[in-house]
């Protein structure tokens, strides 16, 4: 298996034009069905978010950009010190955690976008016609910008389930918008985001690996290891 460093070099060398060609050949147009933002049966919505993307969403809320974590529009900046808590935006990735007497416990290695009581992404809302919308669309994470596509490199995130189409290193995952016409400009924008995401995911994986030190979680706590170190579920450093 290639090392993460080798895969990172490959990701950095990806041609945006080649990725755009692949996306054009597959075809895609978002139908706003909401399937990629909502839960499926007992499975909560799970989308990886980088630590700096969490902070960007916090900053956007403080600036009154878009909507708050409950989906309510905010026209004015919120000057409250805790306008949007880390936990309003992100939660520990559940994979790797076990269910203890008082809830989940253990170590995990990523953050996932927060979900509401029904398991949908906390930023997902439907208009009066039942059409889905992202209330943080302008600041949405790279994984949301690039769905339903991924890059076939070890160390990058792959949505659950097998790819339903592929072209070169581009994989397409289940989505009703696949197969639809896409403009060259849109394909290139999506391809650029897809390359950026692949690079960022591999850089994050390398940093997590290099910084990792096991933590005793026998007390029933949850620890998230990201590129910035070991953290509590509220995003604060475990060493503080």
């Amino acid at each position: 298996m290639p090392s993460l460093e080798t895969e990172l070099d490959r990701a950095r060398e990806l041609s945006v034009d080649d990725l755009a060609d692949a996306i054009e050949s597959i075809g895609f147009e978002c139908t706003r069905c909401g399937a990629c933002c909502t839960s499926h049966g007992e499975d909560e919505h799970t989308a990886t978010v980088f630590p700096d993307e969490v902070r960007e969403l916090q900053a956007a809320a403080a600036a009154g950009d878009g909507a708050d974590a409950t989906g309510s529009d905010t026209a004015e900046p919120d000057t409250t010190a805790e306008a949007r808590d880390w936990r309003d935006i992100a939660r520990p990735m559940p994979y790797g955690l076990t269910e203890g007497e008082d809830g989940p416990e253990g170590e995990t290695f990523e953050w996932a976008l927060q979900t509401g009581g029904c398991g949908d992404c906390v930023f997902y809302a439907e208009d009066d016609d039942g059409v889905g919308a992202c209330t943080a669309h302008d600041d949405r994470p790279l994984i949301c910008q690039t769905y339903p596509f991924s890059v076939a490199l070890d160390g990058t995130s792959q949505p659950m389930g097998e790819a339903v189409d592929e072209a070169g290193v581009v994989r397409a995952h289940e989505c009703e918008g696949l197969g639809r016409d896409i403009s060259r400009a849109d394909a290139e924008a999506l391809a650029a985001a897809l390359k950026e995401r692949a690079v960022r995911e591999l850089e994050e994986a390398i940093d997590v690996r290099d910084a990792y030190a096991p933590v005793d979680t026998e007390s029933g706590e949850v620890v998230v290891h990201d590129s910035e170190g070991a953290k509590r579920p509220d995003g604060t450093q475990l060493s503080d």
Side-chain angles (χ1 to χ4, degrees):
M1 180 181 294
S3 68
L4 291 175
E5 286 80 4
T6 297
E7 296 293 72
L8 177 57
D9 288 340
R10 290 182 62 195
R12 288 172 172 163
E13 293 171 359
L14 288 171
S15 163
V16 171
D17 282 341
D18 289 347
L19 295 176
D21 288 345
I23 290 168
E24 271 192 305
S25 71
I26 295 170
F28 173 68
E29 180 185 19
C30 179
T31 65
R32 296 179 63 187
C33 68
C36 61
C37 305
T38 54
S39 61
H40 298 275
E42 296 182 357
D43 296 326
E44 288 188 307
H45 173 264
T46 305
T48 305
V49 58
F50 299 122
D52 62 315
E53 291 179 325
V54 177
R55 288 190 289 270
E56 287 169 6
L57 285 164
Q58 288 179 302
D65 179 13
D68 67 18
T70 63
S72 301
D73 291 335
T74 55
E76 299 294 333
D78 189 338
T79 57
T80 304
E82 297 180 352
R84 184 181 280 177
D85 187 81
W86 182 282
R87 289 166 293 188
D88 292 331
I89 296 167
R91 63 190 175 99
M93 184 65 76
Y95 308 130
L97 301 180
T98 58
E99 193 64 29
E101 294 183 1
D102 299 318
E105 58 185 38
E107 297 176 281
T108 187
F109 298 88
E110 291 178 304
W111 296 97
L113 284 174
Q114 187 57 273
T115 56
C118 60
D120 297 346
C121 176
V122 75
F123 295 108
Y124 177 74
E126 290 185 354
D127 62 21
D128 293 338
D129 296 325
V131 178
C134 174
T135 61
H137 188 269
D138 291 345
D139 305 289
R140 68 196 189 284
L142 283 166
I143 197 164
C144 302
Q145 294 179 38
T146 54
Y147 192 86
F149 297 102
S150 66
V151 173
L153 294 175
D154 289 335
T156 58
S157 295
Q158 304 293 322
M160 293 182 66
E162 295 295 326
V164 297
D165 202 351
E166 57 185 299
V169 297
V170 174
R171 291 175 175 169
H173 302 266
E174 188 173 354
C175 175
E176 70 173 35
L178 290 172
R180 298 169 181 259
D181 290 338
I182 183 171
S183 71
R184 183 64 187 186
D186 287 345
E188 289 176 349
L190 208 165
L194 190 60
K195 176 178 179 176
E196 181 184 358
R197 174 184 144 202
V199 170
R200 291 281 306 281
E201 285 175 340
L202 284 157
E203 289 175 338
E204 178 82 7
I206 290 169
D207 287 344
V208 170
R209 180 202 63 193
D210 292 347
Y212 174 72
V215 174
D216 181 4
T217 57
E218 291 184 0
S219 59
E221 64 184 343
V222 171
V223 174
V224 182
H225 297 274
D226 65 26
S227 56
E228 299 170 351
K231 294 178 181 174
R232 303 179 183 91
D234 64 0
T236 58
Q237 295 288 343
L238 194 64
S239 59
D240 291 348

